[in-house]
Amino acid sequence: MTKKQWFSWHSLSGVWFGLILFFICWTGAFATISYELDWLFDSKVRAQPQAHNVSLGEAYQKVQTQFPNAQIGIAFSSGESYFAHDFVVRFKGKPWQHVYVDPVNGEVTGATSFLNIQRFFRDFHMHFFGIFDSIVSYYLVLIFALPLCFSTVSAVYLYQGWWKKWLQLSWNGDSRAKLASLHKFSGVWSLWFAVIISLTSIWYLYEFVRMDLVDGKTAFTDVGNFAINPIAELEAQNTQPLSIVTLEKIAQNARPDLDIRAMRFSGGYFYVEGQSDDILVRDRANKLYINPYSGEVVYNQTASSQGFYWRLSDTADPLHFGNFAGLWVKLAWFFCGIALSFLSLSGSYMYVKRQSKLRRKESQQGVKTSLLVSCCLLSLIGYYAYKTIMSYGVAGQAPNLPSGSLLFLSVWIIVTLAIISFWIKSLLSVCFTDTKSLYQLKTFS
């Protein structure tokens, strides 16, 4: 394939997939800092940045005591000291919600809807709010890993010597020349990030295909046949289970290296997961299953004990979302995600502008068709987003979000709609202006 053909395909991928890629990268950028956004806009999520006096197990017991009739799904403890302990809890007749416990004094600071900023961006970025109500929604997002990967590879090929052009940003020439310079500048600075996102996205796609079409395995160890090493479900016994604090101590004695980040009951077992000395793994890479009646450690999984494939699987998430080395890394992922979002829209606009100058009417028709398809898909996403959001409320009512969170999400939606409206208007303006000019030229001739 010639360089001209590479350029055409690189540009066309932006025209065909640019708008949806923008949404995926745009929501992904905010997903990387979504926990911090919840902390910023919801006071119940915050804790004093000092040593925790109340462990996750003690907080769990506190929630059990204060809400004896509630069902506790899972408890989370952030690796950062300024976050409160987070419990996903269901009260009778109500949907799941978050209950927060101050890790310093052990007081319950309040409850909020299960829908928060983190959940909003997770639902949007992972599966477009479950569009079409099926596994199709995941594949609909994951399939865009292919054009993203192609755009990255073709950009490296086309922009030869890119490693020498870190500071080449020119504001000379017309608006298209300035935009082209900013497009290349952003691409050079975010290239490493585009490679990481492309590779991890391809990995996610491969995992789903393997899981759905090959073996159906979703974990190395778990309770159920969907694990490589299945653990038999534990039957309930007549004796009282050990207290959560006691079980937490047993887990900590069995794994003194483990920083426990989550705990729940799974298949009758007391289950914990967290971080150890391993580099770049999600919390579930390290986990223990404990018999809650006898205190016996039934299974102790370390990240290194899983083998290469599952160790790699547990590395994909931290690399994809940048949640492996604190806030500064997350911010780097956020700004690079914004850069990818910009590249998705600016590249397609420059291509349409170029085709307009060349009077290529068939390209204009392709642009209009791709915009129509993308807008129809976005309308469907909006419909399913509304259904999903309402499902988090009580009795058909909208979920009760903190005012700060609601304000942020409202502003984000308005800004996002403004960006895509301006972009669509700009593309159509170029197309229709060129069509009008071409018609006038033919009339004059």
Side-chain angles (χ1 to χ4, degrees):
M1 201 159 58
T2 65
K3 189 172 183 179
K4 184 177 180 180
Q5 289 172 321
W6 271 101
F7 177 78
S8 295
W9 281 104
H10 175 80
S11 302
L12 282 171
S13 66
V15 172
W16 294 336
F17 310 113
L19 186 54
I20 305 302
L21 273 176
F22 163 76
F23 265 96
I24 294 173
C25 296
W26 182 247
T27 54
F30 284 90
T32 60
I33 58 169
S34 56
Y35 284 106
E36 284 70 22
L37 289 171
D38 274 317
W39 180 93
L40 183 64
F41 292 105
D42 187 356
S43 60
K44 294 182 287 296
V45 180
R46 300 174 206 155
Q48 293 298 320
Q50 61 190 65
H52 291 181
N53 300 321
V54 180
S55 70
L56 186 59
E58 291 169 334
Y60 196 114
Q61 203 156 280
K62 176 77 173 181
V63 173
Q64 278 185 321
T65 303
Q66 188 158 335
F67 307 107
N69 297 320
Q71 176 188 354
I72 301 176
I74 189 168
F76 295 103
S77 178
S78 172
E80 305 294 342
S81 61
Y82 47 84
F83 278 94
H85 294 316
D86 181 3
F87 291 78
V88 178
V89 176
R90 172 177 280 172
F91 298 97
K92 187 176 180 179
K94 295 183 179 180
W96 292 100
Q97 58 185 292
H98 292 276
V99 170
Y100 297 99
V101 177
D102 191 314
V104 177
N105 58 29
E107 294 299 317
V108 174
T109 59
T112 64
S113 164
F114 187 63
L115 177 70
N116 53 16
I117 295 175
Q118 186 270 337
R119 175 55 52 181
F120 176 87
F121 286 113
R122 180 182 177 86
D123 284 355
F124 204 150
H125 183 68
M126 284 186 64
H127 49 70
F128 290 148
F129 291 101
I131 188 172
F132 305 130
D133 292 327
S134 70
I135 193 66
V136 172
S137 61
Y138 288 93
Y139 281 107
L140 194 58
V141 173
L142 292 173
I143 199 67
F144 280 91
L146 300 178
L148 177 61
C149 188
F150 176 79
S151 296
T152 303
V153 172
S154 57
V156 172
Y157 174 77
L158 290 168
Y159 200 40
Q160 296 176 1
W162 56 268
W163 55 90
K164 303 175 184 177
K165 302 173 182 178
W166 295 94
L167 301 177
Q168 288 190 11
L169 178 61
S170 173
W171 291 107
N172 298 323
D174 58 13
S175 58
R176 183 180 178 277
K178 294 175 182 177
L179 186 62
S181 178
L182 184 58
H183 182 84
K184 294 174 182 177
F185 181 79
S186 302
V188 167
W189 279 93
S190 61
L191 179 60
W192 62 273
F193 180 75
V195 171
I196 291 175
I197 298 301
S198 297
L199 291 178
T200 51
S201 298
I202 291 291
W203 177 262
Y204 289 142
L205 178 60
Y206 166 73
E207 279 196 312
F208 266 79
V209 171
R210 175 199 56 76
M211 182 174 58
D212 290 332
L213 301 181
V214 181
D215 58 12
K217 304 299 183 183
T218 61
F220 181 73
T221 304
D222 214 321
V223 180
N225 293 326
F226 55 86
I228 296 293
N229 294 314
I231 301 174
E233 188 169 345
L234 183 65
E235 295 183 3
Q237 299 180 18
N238 293 326
T239 58
Q240 280 291 107
L242 300 173
S243 71
I244 298 297
V245 173
T246 301
L247 291 169
E248 181 185 39
K249 289 179 180 178
I250 292 172
Q252 205 67 78
N253 289 333
R255 288 287 300 275
D257 60 308
L258 186 65
D259 177 16
I260 296 175
R261 302 284 181 86
M263 61 176 59
R264 61 186 171 92
F265 284 89
S266 174
Y269 300 97
F270 178 69
Y271 165 94
V272 300
E273 62 183 40
Q275 290 291 324
S276 183
D277 300 325
D278 305 283
I279 299 173
L280 281 175
V281 292
R282 56 188 169 188
D283 295 345
R284 73 182 75 167
N286 298 285
K287 55 188 180 182
L288 290 93
Y289 291 86
I290 300 172
N291 186 320
Y293 304 101
S294 65
E296 175 192 4
V297 177
V298 177
Y299 195 89
N300 182 355
Q301 176 182 293
T302 63
S304 57
S305 67
Q306 303 178 85
F308 178 74
Y309 175 86
W310 292 99
R311 174 62 169 78
L312 197 60
S313 179
D314 283 325
T315 298
D317 273 5
L319 278 178
H320 194 78
F321 291 103
N323 55 350
F324 59 87
L327 179 59
W328 291 109
V329 172
K330 287 186 177 184
L331 287 174
W333 256 241
F334 169 74
F335 286 114
C336 286
I338 297 295
L340 287 189
S341 307
F342 167 74
L343 291 170
S344 299
L345 298 185
S346 60
S348 53
Y349 176 79
M350 288 189 298
Y351 176 77
V352 172
K353 192 77 172 174
R354 182 173 182 271
Q355 298 307 302
S356 172
K357 288 186 176 181
L358 296 175
R359 309 292 187 187
R360 292 178 177 171
K361 190 174 181 180
E362 67 279 2
S363 297
Q364 300 169 11
Q365 195 61 42
V367 171
K368 295 172 186 176
T369 302
S370 66
L371 282 178
L372 178 62
V373 173
S374 296
C375 288
C376 288
L377 181 58
L378 290 178
S379 297
L380 283 171
I381 292 172
Y383 169 72
Y384 279 92
Y386 174 78
K387 284 182 60 178
T388 302
I389 290 172
M390 292 303 290
S391 71
Y392 291 124
V394 179
Q397 297 181 344
N400 185 22
L401 273 71
S403 56
S405 300
L406 182 61
L407 177 62
F408 170 80
L409 289 176
S410 299
V411 171
W412 182 90
I413 291 171
I414 292 171
V415 170
T416 302
L417 291 175
I419 291 172
I420 62 172
S421 297
F422 176 77
W423 181 75
I424 290 174
K425 181 182 177 182
S426 299
L427 287 187
L428 293 178
S429 176
V430 170
C431 292
F432 285 120
T433 299
D434 179 61
T435 302
K436 183 178 179 182
S437 300
L438 188 61
Y439 173 77
Q440 291 175 343
L441 181 62
K442 286 182 178 180
T443 304
F444 178 78
S445 299

